[in-house]
Amino acid sequence: MIISIASGKGGTGKTTIAVNLALSIDKEVQFLDCDVEEPNAHIFLKPKMKTSKKVSIPVPEVDDEKCNFCRKCAEFCAYNAIAVLKNKVLIFSNLCHSCGGCTLLCPQKAISEVNREIGILETGNSGGLQFIHGRLNIGEAMSSPLIRAVKEQINSDKIVIIDAPPGTSCPMIESVKGSDFSILVSEPTPFGLNDLTLAVEVLRKLSIPFGVIINRADIGDDSLERYCKNEHIPVLLRIPFDKKIAFLYSKGIPVVKEQKEYITKFNDMLNNILDKVQRNK
Amino acid sequence: MKQIVIISGKGGTGKTVLSASFAVLARNAVFADCDVDAADLHLLLRSEIKETHDFQSGKKAKIDKKLCTECGYCIDVCRFASISSDFIVDAISCEGCGVCSYICPARAIEMEDNISGEWFISETKYGPLVHARLGIAETNSGKLVSLVRQNAKKIAEERDLKYIIIDGPPGISCPVIASLVGVDLAIIVTEPTLSGIHDMKRIIELAKNLSIPIQVIINKADINTKNSIAIEKLCKMSNIPVLGRLPFSDKVVESITKGVPVVEFCKEEITEEINIIWEKIAS
């Protein structure tokens, strides 16, 4: 069972929901932080890390002895990652998508692939919970390959909770793809609503069932509620604005450690989600 | 002309609220919303779209079923697992590399142009706004960010505007790098939470690697005073000026709900502070 937590807008409470849900449920949990650009879940779960491994992607390397500078590789590359000069080939490996095309088509067989590190993958434990996250190297443009590496660790016999990055483009899609259910966390402001509608369109296109958590539910206006009602989107939970929750968050303390009533709320929500997924099957 | 980007690493720290306030105070500026996959600045600046353009980016493979012999070479070579066993291309995961089209012995695969979003030039009562909307489940947001910035720059040159104010996206990858490259100043908006501090360190490192001058604003500074002091120490150690500390204020959400930049919505401690910050930036 894979449940991803996403949002569209940043800072709505994805990590808070993901962490507290994971800590509340009385089942075997695997936690994946797929926000590899700015991973934060470890701050709250404080896992004991057991393994750390470099994640690399294959990029081309040219053998100058074999190359006859025919330019076929540069003409083919859709990402402008290769430039061929009179007697030199330049590889811009941060633009390379690792499609393997240049290696495949080089008439001189002058191109081979070498690994380039883009980040690290760490795994560990926090209590009974299995924890996995990725950290993208600073300056790296593409996060999707690292997100894929995090997701290769999925053990769907457990309850898998995925903390997704904000936005609605490649990193978010890569993170939520393959989920049995997505929870979209939003807030009742025009920003929250605008970004939620975009995230909803993405999940519909990916055919992933989903529901919404309205965080800071008592601020702003009721346009988010009305939107969910009109679109027949289930509201899974409403969490009021509470300065105490904000303060706990600022110190990296999960809410359920101090406000035990949320344990029941998250469990009820999970059961509700499991029901929905079962019914869809 | 001075290009200023508002950035944060972590999402939801207040980038757009501050960008909109600076838009009001700058008077002589063009605005660029570079959070192209969740753009919100137009909601506060109440913009009117004057021009709409397609964003054409990359290609997608298309298999002609009449020519396809189902040999399966394309499935073998595709590194993005975008071709199904019944030879249909998944447009969401296809990265447009063209390897399948190259390898196909039956020449059954064409690479077709892909429209992956729109970008707009709008007018607001504070100045022109360039913004965009990435298509649903589309990629290549970095390229769209560059396009938005190029057009904002063009407008700034044509109309002889003094500032380009760029509302940046969260994170540290391609759209963020595209928002940062070549700016004169990066203003990092952070909050006194452990997550905010963690993410700020990473975006500072990225901006430093790109040799961009950095200044910091601590938003909701009173949520955790101890952490705010920690941020100031951290900035001092790295020689990064702290432009100001903003208090938590209910007025911010009220102003967003009304669709008005907060400096125009009310006169409170927070807006006085934003005024002072802008004067520091402009001087």
Side-chain angles (χ1 to χ4, degrees):
Chain A
M1 168 62 98
I2 304 171
I3 302 172
S4 52
I5 326 290
S7 72
K9 176 167 161 39
T12 55
K14 282 181 298 302
T15 302
T16 300
I17 299 299
V19 162
N20 286 288
L21 175 62
L23 291 173
S24 296
I25 54 187
D26 194 17
K27 293 192 169 72
E28 276 206 82
V29 174
Q30 193 186 36
F31 191 102
L32 270 59
D33 191 347
C34 283
D35 188 358
V36 300
E37 296 177 46
E38 296 289 22
N40 288 151
H42 66 100
I43 294 171
F44 299 87
L45 292 169
K46 302 179 180 63
K48 274 203 188 80
M49 292 302 185
K50 283 189 177 148
T51 68
S52 172
K53 126 177 160 204
K54 289 175 182 166
V55 175
S56 304
I57 56 167
V59 295
E61 187 174 68
V62 177
D63 183 343
D64 287 341
E65 301 283 306
K66 289 184 186 164
C67 177
N68 65 358
F69 310 100
C70 71
R71 296 175 182 271
K72 290 220 165 77
C73 53
E75 283 159 17
F76 179 82
C77 181
Y79 316 109
N80 301 316
I82 309 179
V84 180
L85 309 179
K86 212 189 260 169
N87 49 14
K88 194 168 173 54
V89 179
L90 300 176
I91 308 274
F92 304 103
S93 58
N94 55 340
L95 297 177
C96 174
H97 285 223
S98 306
C99 71
C102 54
T103 313
L104 196 72
L105 66 74
C106 175
Q108 298 298 112
K109 300 271 168 256
I111 305 179
S112 56
E113 290 186 310
V114 292
N115 281 331
R116 188 173 70 86
E117 188 197 320
I118 57 162
I120 57 164
L121 176 76
E122 294 180 305
T123 68
N125 285 92
S126 169
L129 173 150
Q130 192 194 358
F131 182 89
I132 299 141
H133 77 176
R135 296 178 76 84
L136 189 70
N137 288 349
I138 309 263
E140 212 48 69
M142 278 175 282
S143 59
S144 296
L146 183 54
I147 295 170
R148 283 197 280 271
V150 172
K151 290 183 76 178
E152 273 169 21
Q153 305 292 318
I154 285 180
N155 172 0
S156 48
D157 293 339
K158 297 186 178 182
I159 301 274
V160 181
I161 292 179
I162 294 178
D163 190 4
T168 57
S169 67
C170 5
M172 179 268 195
I173 292 164
E174 199 63 57
S175 302
V176 301
K177 224 162 47 180
S179 304
D180 296 298
F181 195 89
S182 263
I183 299 172
L184 292 175
V185 188
S186 193
E187 58 184 34
T189 64
F191 291 0
L193 175 61
N194 184 49
D195 300 351
L196 177 74
T197 58
L198 299 171
V200 163
E201 286 185 59
V202 171
L203 292 181
R204 284 187 174 152
K205 197 157 178 179
L206 295 171
S207 308
I208 298 170
F210 61 93
V212 167
I213 290 184
I214 305 182
N215 198 6
R216 304 177 198 119
D218 45 354
I219 65 165
D221 58 17
D222 64 350
S223 50
L224 187 67
E225 289 274 0
R226 276 188 282 130
Y227 167 78
C228 290
K229 201 174 164 200
N230 290 341
E231 293 285 320
H232 306 287
I233 298 167
V235 176
L236 304 165
L237 192 65
R238 291 174 184 84
I239 301 174
F241 176 74
D242 180 349
K243 267 204 168 177
K244 270 182 284 180
I245 296 180
F247 186 59
L248 288 172
Y249 177 89
S250 77
K251 296 199 290 181
I253 299 170
V255 183
V256 292
K257 299 270 179 196
E258 304 269 331
Q259 303 193 12
K260 305 279 183 198
E261 68 273 20
Y262 277 103
I263 295 176
T264 323
K265 286 182 184 166
F266 281 115
N267 266 302
D268 291 349
M269 184 183 75
L270 177 74
N271 290 331
N272 178 5
I273 291 171
L274 295 177
D275 266 4
K276 284 189 202 301
V277 173
Q278 280 305 329
R279 257 184 282 142
N280 278 335
K281 279 177 183 165
Chain B
M1 183 208 312
K2 195 172 174 186
Q3 298 199 50
I4 302 169
V5 66
I6 324 298
I7 211 109
S8 69
K10 178 170 162 30
T13 58
K15 286 181 297 296
T16 302
V17 166
L18 281 169
S19 299
S21 291
F22 295 153
V24 176
L25 300 172
R27 286 164 205 280
N28 194 3
V30 54
F31 322 116
D33 191 344
C34 287
D35 190 359
V36 294
D37 55 314
D40 288 331
L41 187 59
H42 64 283
L43 297 173
L44 287 184
L45 301 183
R46 286 151 295 152
S47 57
E48 194 181 317
I49 293 176
K50 297 287 180 193
E51 287 178 34
T52 303
H53 302 267
D54 279 341
F55 169 53
Q56 199 258 313
S57 126
K59 294 180 187 289
K60 299 275 178 194
K62 192 166 181 212
I63 300 176
D64 184 341
K65 285 280 187 180
K66 277 183 245 141
L67 297 175
C68 175
T69 60
E70 306 201 341
C71 68
Y73 282 154
C74 55
I75 298 176
D76 294 342
V77 293
C78 177
R79 293 225 175 134
F80 310 106
S82 301
I83 303 172
S84 64
S85 53
D86 49 353
F87 299 93
I88 292 169
V89 177
D90 170 27
I92 295 175
S93 59
C94 174
E95 297 201 13
C97 66
V99 175
C100 56
S101 172
Y102 167 78
I103 205 86
C104 178
R107 297 186 178 275
I109 308 181
E110 282 291 325
M111 299 306 294
E112 294 188 329
D113 284 345
N114 182 43
I115 304 292
S116 61
E118 288 180 311
W119 62 274
F120 317 97
I121 296 177
S122 295
E123 286 299 334
T124 78
K125 75 183 235 206
Y126 319 100
L129 166 70
V130 186
H131 51 133
R133 185 181 164 145
L134 194 67
I136 295 304
E138 285 292 349
T139 55
N140 223 340
S141 51
K143 201 173 155 191
L144 185 52
V145 166
S146 304
L147 195 63
V148 166
R149 283 191 57 195
Q150 278 163 22
N151 282 283
K153 197 172 173 191
K154 212 170 109 194
I155 291 172
E157 282 162 358
E158 281 165 8
R159 304 195 196 177
D160 197 20
L161 299 171
K162 199 170 168 196
Y163 299 103
I164 301 176
I165 294 174
I166 302 164
D167 188 7
I172 58 162
S173 71
C174 48
V176 180
I177 296 171
S179 303
L180 275 169
V181 170
V183 300
D184 301 290
L185 174 65
I187 295 175
I188 298 177
V189 187
T190 188
E191 59 179 35
T193 64
L194 295 186
S195 306
I197 296 171
H198 173 272
D199 296 354
M200 178 188 75
K201 286 183 192 162
R202 284 167 68 81
I203 190 80
I204 285 177
E205 200 182 328
L206 177 65
K208 278 196 167 166
N209 289 350
L210 296 169
S211 307
I212 291 163
I214 307 162
Q215 299 189 344
V216 164
I217 295 173
I218 308 172
N219 196 9
K220 303 172 202 156
D222 47 351
I223 286 240
N224 186 324
T225 326
K226 227 169 98 185
N227 283 342
S228 288
I229 294 167
I231 293 171
E232 292 195 8
K233 271 192 189 154
L234 209 115
C235 289
K236 202 170 176 194
M237 272 184 346
S238 316
N239 285 320
I240 297 169
V242 174
L243 280 167
R245 269 182 283 173
L246 301 176
F248 175 84
S249 167
D250 294 331
K251 293 286 177 205
V252 173
V253 168
E254 276 180 47
S255 70
I256 296 171
T257 307
K258 289 271 168 347
V260 181
V262 70
V263 287
E264 201 176 84
F265 179 73
C266 62
K267 228 178 148 192
E268 301 261 334
E269 189 193 343
I270 182 166
T271 55
E272 302 281 326
E273 194 58 42
I274 295 173
N275 269 287
I276 295 170
I277 289 172
W278 176 254
E279 273 165 32
K280 285 186 195 166
I281 297 167
S283 67

